[in-house]
Amino acid sequence: VGCVWSVSVLTRFFFWSRRRISWRKKHNGRVYDSVEGHKKVCVLVVLGSGGHTAEMLMLLGDMDLRSKVSLSCVLANTDRFSRDKALEAFSRSLDVGKHEVEDYVDFHIIRRSREVGQSYLSSVLTTLVSFYDSLVLLAQSRVDMILVNGPGTCIPICFASMCLEVS
């Protein structure tokens, strides 16, 4: 436990200091894609197994994915149903075929932090691996908002966003 805590603190300090001592040009702290003069808000959504995906898709039902929202969905690598549910829901709301949904929505896969029934001891290692995947994903993408509703997959994403200081 002490080792995990030390790694967490050191990781947080690294990204905190890196952000303050940056040689890259900043774009007013945000990156937008402009569509017809409007700014698109970049939203990252974590979809989880069970009822989490259905709840999240209900929340996302009224988002304007064509012109106002740039949506990215994160799924666990062992989640077999959430992607299909999301493709179906987004194809209905966008009025396009399932194969065309990926023109509007990006899907990202990270390794699951803990399987149902997995021992707590072995879940420490799998959570660290999932945390690494989350750091890479968030470092490569520019998001304005992360939307989660409690699946276990969101824990590494939330912690990585804290380390990278994503709003």
Side-chain angles (χ1 to χ4, degrees):
V1 175
C3 181
V4 173
W5 175 252
S6 299
V7 169
S8 300
V9 170
L10 289 174
T11 304
R12 172 81 174 154
F13 177 76
F14 171 77
F15 287 107
W16 176 83
S17 62
R18 183 174 160 255
R19 188 166 253 220
R20 276 141 187 82
I21 308 170
S22 177
W23 300 105
R24 293 184 288 166
K25 293 182 181 178
K26 296 190 179 194
H27 304 286
N28 295 333
R30 300 183 122 175
V31 177
Y32 293 103
D33 295 325
S34 181
V35 177
E36 301 172 358
H38 295 91
K39 294 178 180 177
K40 290 184 96 172
V41 178
C42 299
V43 178
L44 182 81
V45 175
V46 179
L47 300 177
S49 56
H52 296 285
T53 295
E55 292 168 355
M56 192 59 73
L57 292 175
M58 283 192 298
L59 288 172
L60 299 174
D62 294 329
M63 283 192 177
D64 186 356
L65 298 177
R66 291 187 188 270
S67 62
K68 297 195 178 182
V69 177
S70 175
L71 185 65
S72 295
C73 295
V74 177
L75 302 134
N77 62 338
T78 58
D79 188 351
R80 296 182 297 261
F81 303 110
S82 295
R83 184 181 176 99
D84 293 336
K85 287 180 190 176
L87 286 172
E88 184 178 319
F90 293 138
S91 69
R92 270 195 316 269
S93 68
L94 290 166
D95 197 27
V96 297
K98 284 185 183 181
H99 60 279
E100 297 174 59
V101 168
E102 294 193 37
D103 292 338
Y104 299 96
V105 180
D106 295 322
F107 289 94
H108 304 281
I109 306 294
I110 64 170
R111 288 172 271 198
R112 187 179 294 273
S113 57
R114 182 176 181 270
E115 293 289 343
V116 175
Q118 181 180 354
S119 74
Y120 291 116
L121 187 60
S122 67
S123 68
V124 171
L125 179 62
T126 55
T127 301
L128 287 174
V129 170
S130 182
F131 172 67
Y132 173 77
D133 290 347
S134 302
L135 278 175
V136 170
L137 173 65
L138 290 176
Q140 291 175 349
S141 59
R142 301 280 187 200
V143 296
D144 296 314
M145 179 174 73
I146 298 173
L147 190 58
V148 300
N149 71 335
T153 308
C154 77
I155 301 299
I157 291 280
C158 292
F159 187 66
S161 72
M162 183 185 76
C163 289
L164 295 173
E165 296 182 356
V166 175
S167 302

